[in-house]
Amino acid sequence: MKRTPFKPGGGLSRSGGLKGDGASKSRSSLRSSSPKGGSAKKEKLLSPWDQQREAAKRAALNALKRARRAADKAGVSLSEWEGEFIDSVSERVKTHGRAFADPEKGAPGQALSAMQGRKLKEITAKANGEEPKRRWGRKPKEP
């Protein structure tokens, strides 16, 4: 393979001039840190762990809101306990970021414990008019 000789000052530069002249420097000096031209405040970036925790918090709050809305829309009356459960869990998630204190009851990055998630699924299924799932392997009696 034959190489072409190096030509100083010419060659492959896009601007057509020498590298390092003022043309490339002026372009970067015109840009500001903000799209509107002013200096914008930079938000504190969250660690990936905190981002995951915030996402779990939002997901839990949205699931609680969806369950409440589905019950209201379908006209299904929730029991007193179910209404109180949704209210207290959503309040705890808003204030503390999660609804349980014991780390053994749920995954570290989750906002709801395993049992709270199960109960929320049961409430959502009731609001959607679905038949409750069997528990503990019991079979329904056949006539």
Side-chain angles (χ1 to χ4, degrees), residues 57 61 88-99:
K57 178 180 173 180
L61 287 172
S88 66
V89 168
S90 61
E91 184 179 328
R92 281 182 277 167
V93 170
K94 285 177 188 174
T95 56
H96 303 293
R98 60 187 207 172

Side-chain angles (χ1 to χ4, degrees), residues 49 53 98 100 103 106-111:
W49 172 257
R53 198 168 51 199
R98 60 187 207 172
F100 61 98
Q110 297 299 314

Side-chain angles (χ1 to χ4, degrees), residues 52-135:
Q52 180 185 8
R53 198 168 51 199
E54 288 295 319
K57 178 180 173 180
R58 286 191 307 270
L61 287 172
N62 288 335
L64 290 163
K65 287 178 190 175
R66 276 195 309 270
R68 171 79 68 186
R69 268 189 269 133
D72 291 341
K73 187 176 181 180
V76 176
S77 62
L78 297 177
S79 69
E80 183 180 333
W81 181 88
E82 290 167 337
E84 187 178 322
F85 172 79
I86 290 177
D87 292 339
S88 66
V89 168
S90 61
E91 184 179 328
R92 281 182 277 167
V93 170
K94 285 177 188 174
T95 56
H96 303 293
R98 60 187 207 172
F100 61 98
D102 189 2
E104 291 182 4
K105 292 186 177 180
Q110 297 299 314
L112 299 177
S113 70
M115 283 302 294
Q116 288 168 337
R118 181 181 293 164
K119 290 297 175 188
L120 180 60
K121 282 184 182 179
E122 288 177 10
I123 293 170
T124 306
K126 178 181 175 181
N128 292 333
E130 298 172 8
E131 180 119 358
K133 292 184 178 179
R134 294 185 315 186
R135 287 184 256 156

Side-chain angles (χ1 to χ4, degrees), residues 6-54:
F6 175 71
K7 296 180 185 176
L12 302 175
S13 71
R14 291 180 186 233
S15 64
L18 294 173
K19 290 184 179 179
D21 64 351
S24 64
K25 202 172 12 173
S26 64
R27 176 182 253 174
S28 64
S29 65
L30 293 177
R31 292 185 183 170
S32 66
S33 62
S34 173
K36 293 186 178 182
S39 61
K41 283 186 178 179
K42 293 186 177 181
E43 290 186 23
K44 183 180 174 185
L45 295 177
L46 297 175
S47 69
W49 172 257
D50 290 337
Q51 289 175 351
Q52 180 185 8
R53 198 168 51 199
E54 288 295 319

